[in-house]
Amino acid sequence: MKIQESAQNYLETILILSKRLPHVRSIDIVNQLSFSKPSISIAIKNLREGGYVKVDSDGYITLTDSGLEIAETMYERHTLLTDWLTFLGVDEKIAAEDACRIEHVISAESFEAVKKHVYANRELRSGAAQV
């Protein structure tokens, strides 16, 4: 899963858009990320050549299995880290921005430790609430 941070962001964005839209096209990514059309075009070309996305004759972009795996990993990291930072009292916008940076550099081992801690504390809080 060693691809550049920007490629990880594109894959995550395609995943997020695919949850909202029936089909994802380059223009949807342009609108979501506010990047130029040529930048998106080059990125999609590189992702396609790398085997991370497929683009059909109508211009619809879909994630390949390897692209989906990376996108889901980044999305899980982003959402969990954002939620965790927000829970710790960080402003939502700042938490999301920080999570976006952290998600690309945190090791799998460290992320799993954070995830285990977050889920253990959720269980403790929900268990205490039930007593």
Side-chain angles (χ1 to χ4, degrees):
M1 189 173 85
K2 269 296 192 202
I3 66 170
Q4 292 184 348
E5 180 178 328
S6 61
Q8 293 172 346
N9 281 335
Y10 284 114
L11 295 171
E12 183 182 9
T13 298
I14 293 166
L15 175 66
I16 291 166
L17 289 169
S18 70
K19 292 173 183 276
R20 270 196 327 228
L21 304 170
H23 304 285
V24 177
R25 296 181 308 164
S26 291
I27 192 65
D28 301 317
I29 301 168
V30 167
N31 293 333
Q32 180 75 18
L33 298 177
S34 300
F35 292 165
S36 71
K37 290 179 185 180
S39 294
I40 301 296
S41 180
I42 291 167
I44 295 302
K45 177 183 177 262
N46 291 337
L47 290 171
R48 186 178 41 78
E49 289 175 352
Y52 299 108
V53 300
K54 292 181 182 178
V55 182
D56 70 14
S57 59
D58 292 322
Y60 298 141
I61 302 166
T62 55
L63 297 167
T64 63
D65 289 343
S66 59
L68 181 62
E69 181 181 348
I70 293 166
E72 287 178 335
T73 298
M74 292 299 105
Y75 184 71
E76 177 189 28
R77 287 179 175 196
H78 183 88
T79 55
L80 186 122
L81 291 167
T82 300
D83 291 347
W84 180 54
L85 291 169
T86 303
F87 174 77
L88 293 175
V90 177
D91 175 79
E92 268 187 67
K93 185 176 184 221
I94 294 170
E97 291 169 358
D98 288 347
C100 193
R101 287 189 290 275
I102 295 167
E103 72 189 57
H104 300 286
V105 296
I106 192 170
S107 69
E109 181 179 356
S110 292
F111 179 73
E112 287 304 315
V114 169
K115 185 171 153 180
K116 183 178 178 182
H117 174 78
V118 167
Y119 288 137
N121 284 324
R122 281 184 184 166
E123 289 172 12
L124 289 175
R125 282 192 304 278
S126 65
Q130 292 174 358
V131 174

